[in-house]
């Protein structure tokens, strides 16, 4: 297991993980602060946390109400 | 004076709804998606399986120029769609919610209103595009071989004009219709239409803005800016100015 972890090329993967984390955190902060969303809030929370990369982006495009 | 107030208001709004964070990230993802999947394609095919025992797959790795072009192609499809989605509500959304009425009932000139909004979205899109290309360049250097930074900036410079044109088109449509969804749909149709016209009448429309993406590839391989490229950029600039002036004209002559 540890050996397999060492084999991964981290200079390739690290930026993607960081991007995913930033997106998720920002989307969650926004979800907490916003008053109303398109559709139920708890559903968006699940989408943001469990749908990789695409979830937070979908939330920003579709979920926010102007 | 007045212009900078509207401009700052737009920047602040884009900051408050986190556009300054997620739009660059989305552009980074578009930029790095293709180089990474291309690099790992043999491994992906291996893992998915379905090939007979002992089958040899030889997928040649593309040269760095072509790998960078993959990112540009990604921007010309998904990126343009993203730009339209982001900008479609820029004026129609404000008309719908009544904010535009509130702003334009004060002594604000239509020219200031349109150009400040345009400039703020251009700034957002270009910053995102440049960061995305920088990430793409990082991955191309890592996976496919050296590519000089000046070449990447040349590509950004040429292709940036096409993205600005897309923003301007969406902006004009946004002054015409109230429903953001409709604005997005029509804008995408227009962009596709420009591409189609250019590919059908390729021999006549050498200076069509849709050719900018093929000029990017020519530039990346030769490293030279030809007269055709400059003329196309000039035509694109004229198009942008025309689109902006007609947006101002339409907004002025229409009650909100």
């Amino acid at each position: 297991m540890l050996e397999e972890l060492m084999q991964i090329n981290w200079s390739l993967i690290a930026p993607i993980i960081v991007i995913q984390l930033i997106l998720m955190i920002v989307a969650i902060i926004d979800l907490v602060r916003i008053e109303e969303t398109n559709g139920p809030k708890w559903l968006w929370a699940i989408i943001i946390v469990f749908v990789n990369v695409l979830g937070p982006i979908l939330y920003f495009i579709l979920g926010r109400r102007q | 004076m007045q212009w900078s107030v509207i401009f700052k208001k737009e920047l602040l709004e884009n900051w408050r709804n986190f556009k300054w964070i997620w739009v660059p990230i989305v552009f980074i993802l578009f930029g790095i998606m293709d180089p990474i999947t291309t690099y790992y394609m043999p491994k992906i095919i291996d893992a998915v399986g379905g090939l007979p025992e002992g089958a040899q797959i030889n997928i040649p790795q593309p040269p760095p120029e072509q790998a960078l072009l993959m990112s540009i192609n990604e921007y010309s499809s998904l990126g343009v769609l993203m730009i339209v989605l982001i900008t479609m509500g820029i004026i129609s959304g404000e008309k719908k919610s009544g904010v535009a009425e509130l702003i334009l009932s004060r002594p604000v000139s239509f020219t200031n209103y349109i150009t400040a909004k345009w400039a703020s979205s251009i700034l957002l899109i270009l910053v995102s595009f440049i960061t995305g290309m920088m990430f793409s360049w990082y991955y191309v250097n890592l996976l496919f071989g050296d590519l000089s930074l000046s070449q990447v900036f040349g590509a950004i410079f040429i292709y940036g004009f096409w993205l600005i044109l897309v923003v301007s088109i969406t902006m004009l449509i946004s002054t015409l219709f109230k429903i953001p969804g409709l604005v997005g749909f029509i804008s995408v149709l227009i962009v596709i239409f420009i591409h189609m016209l250019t590919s059908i009448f390729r021999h006549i429309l050498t200076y069509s803005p849709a050719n900018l993406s093929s000029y990017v590839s020519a530039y990346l391989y030769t490293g030279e800016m030809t007269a055709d490229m400059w003329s196309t950029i000039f035509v694109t600039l004229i198009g942008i100015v025309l689109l902006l002036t007609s947006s101002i004209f339409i907004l002025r002559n229409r009650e909100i």
Side-chain angles (χ1 to χ4, degrees):
Chain A
M1 183 66 195
L2 198 67
E3 250 173 53
E4 271 177 18
L5 272 179
M6 296 295 284
Q7 271 180 1
I8 299 173
N9 194 344
W10 283 107
S11 57
L12 281 181
I13 306 300
I16 300 173
I17 296 175
V18 172
I19 281 173
Q20 156 72 10
L21 277 180
I22 296 173
L23 263 184
M24 202 172 86
I25 292 166
V26 170
I28 288 291
I29 292 172
D30 189 57
L31 188 67
V32 171
R33 288 205 314 202
I34 206 167
E35 271 176 30
E36 242 184 300
T37 51
N38 287 330
K41 248 189 178 186
W42 57 268
L43 189 67
W44 279 116
I46 293 174
I47 292 174
I48 290 169
V49 177
F50 289 105
V51 183
N52 250 337
V53 187
L54 266 183
I57 296 171
L58 279 179
Y59 165 71
F60 278 120
I61 295 175
L62 303 173
R64 294 185 99 255
R65 191 173 283 182
Q66 292 297 322
Chain B
M1 189 53 210
Q2 192 185 49
W3 190 88
S4 66
V5 171
I6 306 176
F7 184 67
K8 273 180 198 150
K9 175 224 153 214
E10 284 299 313
L11 286 189
L12 189 70
E13 202 175 298
N14 280 347
W15 178 246
R16 287 225 178 105
N17 54 31
F18 293 108
K19 270 190 185 158
W20 276 108
I21 296 174
W22 68 266
V23 178
I25 286 182
V26 169
F27 272 76
I28 290 170
L29 285 175
F30 288 160
I32 65 181
M33 216 160 55
D34 271 31
I36 291 182
T37 44
T38 314
Y39 182 75
Y40 280 119
M41 197 44 93
K43 276 188 182 172
I44 294 171
I45 293 174
D46 244 13
V48 174
L51 282 170
E53 199 64 34
Q56 290 274 329
I57 336 156
N58 270 318
I59 302 171
Q61 292 290 330
E65 291 89 0
Q66 208 191 329
L68 196 79
L69 278 177
M70 286 174 180
S71 303
I72 293 271
N73 279 336
E74 209 61 53
Y75 288 125
S76 69
S77 50
L78 286 176
V80 164
L81 187 70
M82 204 64 190
I83 292 172
V84 170
L85 281 176
I86 293 162
T87 22
M88 68 186 185
I90 188 166
I91 289 164
S92 55
E94 289 210 334
K95 269 189 192 172
K96 211 175 162 193
S97 63
V99 178
E101 221 169 8
L102 204 73
I103 294 173
L104 291 172
S105 62
R106 305 221 177 99
V108 172
S109 87
F110 292 95
T111 315
N112 281 347
Y113 179 71
I114 292 273
T115 49
K117 271 181 158 300
W118 179 82
S120 73
S121 43
I122 291 293
L123 189 68
L124 175 70
I125 299 291
L126 283 187
V127 168
S128 311
F129 175 53
I130 292 169
T131 30
M133 286 296 281
M134 287 294 107
F135 269 80
S136 165
W137 178 63
Y138 167 78
Y139 275 97
V140 167
N141 263 339
L142 217 61
L143 301 174
F144 300 104
D146 283 337
L147 193 66
S148 77
L149 189 61
S150 63
Q151 264 177 309
V152 180
F153 270 111
I156 291 173
F157 175 76
I158 299 170
Y159 203 67
F161 285 104
W162 170 248
L163 298 184
I164 296 174
L165 188 77
V166 172
V167 173
S168 313
I169 291 171
T170 317
M171 188 132 180
L172 175 67
I173 308 297
S174 189
T175 52
L176 284 171
F177 300 101
K178 263 191 181 171
I179 311 158
L182 185 68
V183 172
F185 181 68
I186 295 176
S187 312
V188 169
L189 277 189
I190 290 176
V191 172
I192 293 172
F193 186 67
I194 293 174
H195 270 298
M196 264 170 51
L197 266 189
T198 314
S199 56
I200 294 171
F201 301 106
R202 193 170 280 284
H203 48 294
I204 312 171
L205 298 171
T206 28
Y207 298 150
S208 160
N211 278 335
L212 281 173
S213 54
S214 52
Y215 285 134
V216 170
S217 80
Y219 170 78
L220 278 177
Y221 280 112
T222 61
E224 281 167 31
M225 295 285 285
T226 57
D228 275 4
M229 290 179 194
W230 286 115
S231 315
T232 312
I233 288 174
F234 185 65
V235 169
T236 314
L237 273 179
I238 292 175
I240 292 165
V241 172
L242 279 180
L243 285 166
L244 269 181
T245 32
S246 28
S247 315
I248 295 165
F249 185 76
I250 288 167
L251 197 67
R252 190 179 285 153
N253 288 289
R254 257 196 181 202
E255 44 183 331
I256 297 161

